[in-house]
Amino acid sequence: MKSNLQRKNYRLDVAKLKRARKCLGTRTETETIHRALDLAADEAELAKALRELLDKGRGHVTDASSGRS
């Protein structure tokens, strides 16, 4: 992925940033923000893929490991 870094200024809730940093195990605030943005984008893509999968299966999901439908 091509890096397109720019300096930005935002007003952030410091408590949320600290909480996210602790949860993510990141070392810097910038790393925390980058990781949180990646997670948000990944979650959206995963939700879209799940919706598409459910649409293909008409909402019917089976447990492939159980051997039952």
Side-chain angles (χ1 to χ4, degrees):
M1 179 188 335
K2 183 179 176 185
S3 178
N4 186 18
L5 299 177
Q6 294 181 1
R7 180 169 295 278
K8 299 286 185 178
N9 294 305
Y10 297 100
R11 296 175 63 105
L12 300 173
D13 183 326
V14 177
K16 287 181 183 180
L17 187 58
K18 285 181 180 180
R19 188 171 141 228
R21 189 172 169 192
K22 183 178 179 182
C23 291
L24 297 172
T26 50
R27 291 183 298 158
T28 66
E29 292 178 348
T30 299
E31 184 182 0
T32 303
I33 294 166
H34 282 257
R35 182 76 178 111
L37 291 171
D38 286 339
L39 286 170
D42 291 347
E43 181 179 336
E45 289 175 10
L46 182 60
K48 180 183 176 194
L50 181 57
R51 277 192 307 273
E52 290 172 359
L53 180 65
L54 289 173
D55 287 346
K56 286 182 181 179
R58 296 183 186 98
H60 182 71
V61 178
T62 60
D63 183 352
S65 66
S66 72
R68 296 181 283 152
S69 296

